[in-house]
Amino acid sequence: MPPTGAFTAVTARKTFDKPVSVGPTHSLSTSPSPAATGSTNPSDNGKRDWPPSVRSYVQRSFADGNILPGIDRSEMEVKLKQVISQSVEAGTLVTIDWDNLPLPQIMIRDERARSHNLQFLSSHPAQNGRSTFTNETTPNKRKSSDLESLDDTSSRALPWRQSNDRDSFESRVSYPDKRPRNGAGPTNGSSKSTQITEGRKKRFQTATSGTSPVTSLRPWRPVSNHDAEPAEPKGPIVGRCQELEKKYFRLTSAPNPDTVRPQHILEKTLDLLKRKWRREKKYPYICDQFKSLRQDLTVQRIKTAFTVDAYEIHARIALEEGDLSEYNQCQTQLRALYAQNLGGHPTEFLAYRILYFLHTSNRTDMNDVLANLTPTEKQDPAVKHALDSRSALALGNYHRFFELYLNTPNMGAYLTDMFVARERLSALSAVCKAYKPDVKLRFITEELGFDADEESARFICDQGGPHLLDARDGGVYLLTGKAPGFFEPALKAASSRPNTKAAV
């Protein structure tokens, strides 16, 4: 009969004294007794020749780096005996891959984990076909939808639901000082925890179909036909309203086709608004009607040449009235529409954009525009004029800038008017430093783009400088010698970043 064991049997421990350790090399080098191995063959007496792979396996089992906390050496020895004995009995001592075989402490740890899992599953059965097992060393991480799916009245609640409600996260945050730390959990339906749970259920309860909060919180769960809500219409709506004029209302729900005008009605509305603007010039009314028109275009996803025309007209009217808020909204939409090659006047509004960045002193966006300009766009008269204005300001050439200002194409002068006072103050500061002791007021009028001497004199007086004007010899002079740095505070105030959000 082949030997049944490679180690001498030991008596089970009955005290807490440290057992006598049996070294792995000694156990393999000595010959097991016939009583321990069950062998009666005299040739088995003496030392047994163990394969090197078995010796290496034993040495690795007791290496300091492989010791696991919580597993005693005696348990490892018993498991090691069991593994080697079974391999000897099965005749697989040589064929087993000992280099990749799990160490005895690993086997003991896995057996403990499997035993713990079976005990936990038997005491806490799975709910909804899903296992509730959680690793012992991993904190419980739950979603709000998982908490909603648990029945508060169930007698088989999970361990974390059996704890006191005062320890829940919501209770700790909402009522940190009003609950005793050692108090018991809720005992009746009128407790604060139960009221919170019921209130949460009511908030998520579907009013019409009666579906549960779990269904509403879990959109991935399939619902039955009687629980399904009517599907919302897909794609853009088509308006049915026939009124030409309609006040603007901000949408708070899905648009109603009965209050949305189709495109052929919107075209008639645009013609009406253009006529009214030329005749009445009532900007608040026109702006409200244009916003309503743009809203109807948006909800119907109409992006055609008519859309570009409507946005361009509104942007021009907003520029004329100095309403930068509405102008910015139109300019933003026009950039996206121009990218789709729907027509319009892209170079005209590109020039407006450059002038707008001069007004806001936005160098970052200005650099982006300059980097994206094409040679064709640079040759456009409006774009070339805007670029020349930018260059004149960058070089401090106020003479060139005001020449360009008096010859601004299209409606760019409305944008330039927003920052021309700042540039006039800058030019006046330069004139006061370069010309001493005085200079004719007519020179200031011509250099700074004023229409008349009265306008330039009024501008200087508005800055608090009437004492700098001297009338003599049949003319008016600006006493530059008395004004060193006089216009600097006003220039600094005018150079602060303008508010482009304020509407008229």
Side-chain angles (χ1 to χ4, degrees), residues 477-488:
Y477 292 83
L478 174 64
L479 303 179
T480 56
K482 295 182 179 181
F486 178 80
F487 297 101
E488 294 296 334

Side-chain angles (χ1 to χ4, degrees), residues 238-242 260-267 300 302:
V238 178
R240 296 189 290 265
C241 180
Q242 301 298 313
V260 178
R261 294 162 293 184
Q263 180 172 344
H264 69 279
I265 298 296
L266 294 175
E267 293 175 354
Q300 297 178 93
I302 299 176

